[in-house]
């Protein structure tokens, strides 16, 4: 796990500035505290830099890795978990290796097969490879989007980095806020790829490869679950056995490490299953890490401690309180753009705890999307059932009347009725699901946004993802979450929060073979009277007693609602008077006051929306943003 940066001249008559590349690399030191390197190609068209977190081949895996010709080099962030198998296959084809690292395996594959090599990789990665003799660039991200890659073109040179903050600060210059990205942030709580908060800086989307072509970049998606439509036709027992085999392989591969390794254990089904398999497959007792809150409704530390005791791990617990909010300034700097996933804060603290003991940790991410664990899937199904039983025309008339009367943003019963009518009036299941998955809906936008921003398409991204997939509504919802929420919210959260401490986090449930198998299962293998993740629950019963498996899901969340009504109330109520938020020209101060007032009285829970505004205000203060320009654009200071 590492940080990468560089500059590559897309045109033959251009050259990257090595000082800018060095500046970016310095800003990535937290991602790679164990080593650094820089390489300038013989032609001068490429300058690559690397910051290393040593995990595999501690002595020989330094980067940038240059081949024997001295003209081809690669910088790589991540892990190729099947590198041993790939290395053996290449050795049988005559390749002789200088190191024992997965980086060299990846480089040899790319030299032999180019972008077609991506189909053979099982891992998490973001890399940039350059062939100086041919003037060819290949850059790619892994299938799920676990590792990030940001890029910007400046006078014919492509600059890139593992973090947006490093890229922006390294290349310098004024940056304009992208209003579409800002709207996406407030709507979703995150900014989806390829957008970033700044115009001119982009994210390479997950499962995407970029190849230089005549001085330009050509982008291609190399893997798409929407095309994976072959259903599993075996029995339920056969499905359980097949999944256990896939997970044992995925966990075993992710236990490959030359440094200490542990597991982030929340006590829920997903992380407990990963811990159980790791404890079974590992050679030594494994370290596990969890957090606890004073608010019992959010505290799973007791459950996690009992799971750890049954599995025989060395367990560590960190207790957190409302002071966790003080981590926001640090998190804002590392994310480089507004990000409203509040669970990043406890993960940030947990990563700091784990890093004191291990360098690598396995986690339970992916179980909810892959195996239908989210409660909103059931909510969407209930709404769909209601919509099928009520005449559509009557619902649309009632929804239009509620909107005209301004009831969408109303608190309590009238508001809930109006919003419910709005969901039911949506023209199809995909539209209802998309509306359900937005943090900021039409009702809130009606009083929070100034008039000119109210009519934007806030749900199209999720709806289009839903429509691309085949199969049942449940399968299509899960696919849409993988394409949007998982790739652009959860994966950046894990990467940034863990790498801020130099901790590598691996996710066996997001192994692409496990994900593919999950989407092949019929709905009845995923949902029963207990709720979602039926197959994961039953698989976990092979390792733990029923009393530790059959417990309500709490999730890895922060008790924002009581905190905002308690110790943090003054800070929340001050948001309406923030000069920084006011300078955007997007938000109505009275609308912010209304959000805060409704939350404080208990009329509605606006904790997610208020947290998004709190983070945005902090980001504006830390990034040197200026006032709204006459043309409606927003500019960041140099």
């Amino acid at each position: 796990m590492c940080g990468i940066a560089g500059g590559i001249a897309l045109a033959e008559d251009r050259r990257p500035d090595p000082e800018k590349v060095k500046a970016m690399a310095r800003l990535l030191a937290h991602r790679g505290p164990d080593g650094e390197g820089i390489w300038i190609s013989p032609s001068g068209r490429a300058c690559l830099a690397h910051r290393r977190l040593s995990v595999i081949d501690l002595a020989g895996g330094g980067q940038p890795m240059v081949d024997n010709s001295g003209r081809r080099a690669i910088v790589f962030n991540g892990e190729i978990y099947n590198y041993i198998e790939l290395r053996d296959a290449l050795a049988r084809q005559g390749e002789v290796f200088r190191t024992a690292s997965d980086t060299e395996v990846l480089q040899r594959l790319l030299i032999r097969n180019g972008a077609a090599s991506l189909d053979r990789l099982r891992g998490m990665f973001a890399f940039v490879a350059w062939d100086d003799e041919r003037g060819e660039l290949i850059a790619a991200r892994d299938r799920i989007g676990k590792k990030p890659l940001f890029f910007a073109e400046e006078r014919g040179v492509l600059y890139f980095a593992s973090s947006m903050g490093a890229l922006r600060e390294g290349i310098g210059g004024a940056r304009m806020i992208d209003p579409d990205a800002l709207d996406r942030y407030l709507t979703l709580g995150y900014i989806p790829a390829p957008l970033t908060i700044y115009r001119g800086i982009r994210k390479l989307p997950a499962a995407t490869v970029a190849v230089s072509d005549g001085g330009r970049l050509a982008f291609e998606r190399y893997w798409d679950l929407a095309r994976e439509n072959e259903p599993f036709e075996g029995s339920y027992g056969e499905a359980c056995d097949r999944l256990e085999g896939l997970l044992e392989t995925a966990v075993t591969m992710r236990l490959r490490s030359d440094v200490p390794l542990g597991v982030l254990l929340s006590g829920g089904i997903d992380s407990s299953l990963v811990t159980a398999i790791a404890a079974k497959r590992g050679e030594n007792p494994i370290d596990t890490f969890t957090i606890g809150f004073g608010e019992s409704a959010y505290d799973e530390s007791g459950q996690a401690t009992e799971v750890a005791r049954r599995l025989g791990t060395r367990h560590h617990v960190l207790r957190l309180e409302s002071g966790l909010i003080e981590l926001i300034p640090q998190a804002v700097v590392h994310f480089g753009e507004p990000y409203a996933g509040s669970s990043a804060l406890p993960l940030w603290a947990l990563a700091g705890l784990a890093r004191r003991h291990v360098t690598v940790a396995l986690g339970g991410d992916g179980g909810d999307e892959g195996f239908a664990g989210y409660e909103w899937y059931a909510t969407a199904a209930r709404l769909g059932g209601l919509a099928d039983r009520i005449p559509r025309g009557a619902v649309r008339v009632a929804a239009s009347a509620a909107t005209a009367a301004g009831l969408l943003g109303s608190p309590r019963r009238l508001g809930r009725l109006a919003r419910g009518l709005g969901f039911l009036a949506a023209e199809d299941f995909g539209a209802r699901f998309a509306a359900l998955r937005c943090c900021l809906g039409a009702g809130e936008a009606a009083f929070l946004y100034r008039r000119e921003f109210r009519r934007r398409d806030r749900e199209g991204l999720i709806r289009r993802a839903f429509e691309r997939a085949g199969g049942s509504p449940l399968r299509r919802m899960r696919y849409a979450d993988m394409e949007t929420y998982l790739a652009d919210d959860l994966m950046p959260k894990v990467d940034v929060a863990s790498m801020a401490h130099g901790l590598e986090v691996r996710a066996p449930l997001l192994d692409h073979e496990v994900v593919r198998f999950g989407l092949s299962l019929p709905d009845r293998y995923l949902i029963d009277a207990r709720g979602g993740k039926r197959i994961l629950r039953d698989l976990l019963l092979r390792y733990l007693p029923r009393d530790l498996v059959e417990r309500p899901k709490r999730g890895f969340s922060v008790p924002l609602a009581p905190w905002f009504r308690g110790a943090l109330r003054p800070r929340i109520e001050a948001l309406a008077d923030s000069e920084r938020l006011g300078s955007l020209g997007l938000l109505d101060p009275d609308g912010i006051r209304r959000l805060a007032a409704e939350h404080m009285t208990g009329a509605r829970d606006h904790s997610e929306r208020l947290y998004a505004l709190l983070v945005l205000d902090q980001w504006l203060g830390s990034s040197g943003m200026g006032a709204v320009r006459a043309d409606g654009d927003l500019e960041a200071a140099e």
Side-chain angles (χ1 to χ4, degrees):
M1 194 66 64
C2 310
I4 64 175
I8 293 177
L10 297 176
E12 294 186 16
D13 61 345
R14 301 291 182 176
R15 295 294 180 268
D17 182 348
E19 294 305 313
K20 292 185 176 182
V21 175
K22 292 176 183 177
M24 289 189 285
R26 286 194 296 271
L27 293 167
L28 294 170
H30 60 284
R31 297 184 67 96
D34 299 331
E36 60 183 330
I38 191 165
W39 176 78
I40 299 176
S41 69
S43 71
R45 284 184 62 183
C47 180
L48 307 182
H50 186 261
R51 294 289 315 203
R52 188 182 187 199
L53 176 65
S54 300
V55 173
I56 299 293
D57 189 9
L58 306 187
Q63 298 184 44
M65 187 165 283
V66 185
D67 78 336
N68 292 330
S69 73
R71 294 183 174 276
R72 290 180 289 232
I74 186 172
V75 283
F76 160 55
N77 169 30
E79 299 288 347
I80 306 301
Y81 300 123
N82 63 333
Y83 77 100
I84 294 177
E85 292 78 7
L86 293 172
R87 176 190 172 97
D88 290 344
L90 288 169
R92 290 192 293 270
Q93 298 174 40
E95 292 283 355
V96 178
F97 290 86
R98 298 173 296 163
T99 74
S101 73
D102 55 344
T103 306
E104 187 177 11
V105 173
L106 174 60
Q107 184 179 46
R108 299 294 183 93
L109 277 172
L110 291 170
I111 291 172
R112 277 178 170 263
N113 304 313
S117 305
L118 297 168
D119 292 338
R120 302 179 63 183
L121 303 182
R122 197 167 182 171
M124 56 180 179
F125 52 83
F127 68 80
V128 175
W130 172 253
D131 186 326
D132 203 48
E133 185 173 355
R134 296 183 177 181
E136 291 181 352
L137 159 75
I138 298 178
R141 283 182 71 199
D142 63 76
R143 296 171 179 85
I144 305 297
K146 301 169 192 172
K147 293 294 101 185
L149 191 62
F150 298 87
F151 63 93
E153 189 172 341
E154 184 181 86
R155 292 187 287 275
V157 175
L158 182 77
Y159 288 99
F160 63 88
S162 293
S163 82
M164 193 178 63
L167 180 61
R168 184 206 160 191
E169 296 299 322
I171 63 179
R175 292 288 162 190
M176 309 291 293
I177 285 183
D178 186 335
D180 288 334
L182 183 60
D183 179 59
R184 295 285 190 188
Y185 165 73
L186 291 168
T187 299
L188 301 170
Y190 59 91
I191 299 174
L195 297 177
T196 75
I197 193 64
Y198 299 114
R199 287 180 175 173
I201 297 180
R202 289 293 179 259
K203 303 164 187 165
L204 187 65
T208 298
V209 59
V211 180
S212 58
D213 181 15
R216 301 182 62 185
L217 286 180
F219 298 90
E220 181 181 355
R221 181 161 186 154
Y222 65 86
W223 188 73
D224 188 355
L225 277 169
R227 304 190 193 111
E228 304 280 344
N229 292 319
E230 186 174 347
F232 179 79
E233 297 180 348
S235 69
Y236 182 67
E238 290 170 337
C240 289
D241 291 341
R242 171 66 173 151
L243 178 58
E244 185 172 33
L246 287 171
L247 284 176
E248 286 182 342
T249 298
V251 170
T252 300
M253 282 186 171
R254 285 159 180 80
L255 291 174
R256 292 172 174 172
S257 173
D258 295 333
V259 293
L261 180 147
V263 180
L264 305 181
L265 174 62
S266 71
I269 292 172
D270 307 334
S271 63
S272 295
L273 183 55
V274 169
T275 303
I277 297 174
K280 172 185 173 183
R281 309 290 291 189
E283 298 178 358
N284 302 306
I286 200 164
D287 286 277
T288 51
F289 308 90
T290 194
I291 58 172
F293 292 101
E295 291 83 357
S296 59
Y298 296 83
D299 185 26
E300 286 190 305
S301 60
Q303 165 89 351
T305 298
E306 182 60 21
V307 169
R309 188 187 69 79
R310 295 289 185 103
L311 296 176
T313 72
R314 292 188 296 263
H315 195 53
H316 311 265
V317 180
L318 177 67
R319 300 205 67 81
L320 301 170
E321 301 300 338
S322 59
L324 195 63
I325 293 294
E326 301 308 322
L327 291 176
I328 289 178
Q330 297 178 55
V332 163
V333 170
H334 281 267
F335 276 99
E337 65 180 353
Y339 171 74
S342 61
S343 60
L345 301 182
L347 180 57
W348 185 288
L350 183 62
L353 168 67
R355 187 62 176 91
R356 296 201 293 268
H357 301 271
V358 300
T359 306
V360 176
L362 275 60
D365 292 300
D368 288 306
E369 295 85 3
F371 300 93
Y374 290 128
E375 294 178 359
W376 53 73
Y377 298 146
T379 301
R382 287 194 296 270
L383 288 171
L386 280 173
D388 290 341
R389 293 194 296 270
I390 301 175
R392 184 63 52 84
V395 173
R396 287 177 177 170
V397 170
S400 297
T403 301
L407 298 182
L408 269 179
S410 299
R412 300 190 187 277
R413 292 182 180 178
L414 283 177
R416 287 197 297 270
L417 174 61
R419 288 187 291 277
L421 287 171
F423 283 126
L424 294 175
E427 59 188 75
D428 55 34
F429 196 110
R432 285 191 293 274
F433 175 68
L436 192 65
R437 295 294 293 116
C438 289
C439 175
L440 186 73
E444 295 80 29
F447 64 82
L448 184 61
Y449 276 11
R450 294 189 185 277
R451 184 177 302 277
E452 59 270 26
F453 287 94
R454 292 177 187 172
R455 295 186 177 275
R456 296 192 173 215
D457 176 15
R458 300 200 156 74
E459 301 158 5
L461 179 75
I462 297 171
R463 183 177 180 178
R464 287 190 293 273
F466 179 92
E467 291 172 347
R468 288 183 63 235
S472 69
L474 178 62
R475 184 182 186 278
R476 298 170 79 181
M477 287 189 287
R478 291 156 55 218
Y479 172 83
D481 272 342
M482 290 179 187
E483 285 289 289
T484 57
Y485 179 62
L486 179 68
D488 293 321
D489 185 334
L490 299 187
M491 291 299 93
K493 175 190 73 176
V494 173
D495 176 78
V496 172
S498 60
M499 291 308 296
H501 303 278
L503 178 74
E504 176 179 310
V505 175
R506 302 173 174 178
L509 286 165
L510 286 176
D511 182 281
H512 74 274
E513 295 295 347
V514 174
V515 172
R516 175 184 286 146
F517 180 72
L519 279 187
S520 76
L521 295 174
D523 293 355
R524 66 183 183 278
Y525 289 5
L526 303 173
I527 294 180
D528 61 10
R530 299 168 296 177
K533 294 197 281 196
R534 173 192 177 190
I535 192 169
L536 291 185
R537 291 172 189 269
D538 290 343
L539 193 53
L540 185 56
L541 287 170
R542 298 182 179 183
Y543 298 88
L544 289 173
R546 188 170 298 276
D547 64 301
L548 287 179
V549 176
E550 303 291 355
R551 294 195 178 188
K553 175 183 174 62
R554 288 178 178 168
F556 195 60
S557 57
V558 178
L560 292 178
W563 287 358
F564 285 176
R565 295 188 186 106
L568 299 173
R569 179 169 182 160
R571 191 179 303 189
I572 295 303
E573 291 180 332
L575 288 171
D577 298 317
S578 166
E579 293 183 3
R580 295 185 295 237
L581 292 178
S583 73
L584 293 172
L586 167 67
L587 302 168
D588 186 334
D590 288 337
I592 300 176
R593 290 189 185 92
R594 177 172 172 176
L595 283 182
E598 291 181 2
H599 184 81
M600 300 312 166
T601 62
R604 290 186 66 189
D605 182 356
H606 288 301
S607 52
E608 289 186 6
R609 301 175 190 96
L610 291 169
Y611 182 76
L613 294 174
L614 185 66
V615 170
L616 178 58
D617 184 60
Q618 179 68 47
W619 177 80
L620 289 168
S622 67
S623 59
M625 299 309 304
V628 183
R629 289 160 49 101
D631 59 2
D633 289 329
L634 307 170
E635 186 170 6
E638 192 168 335

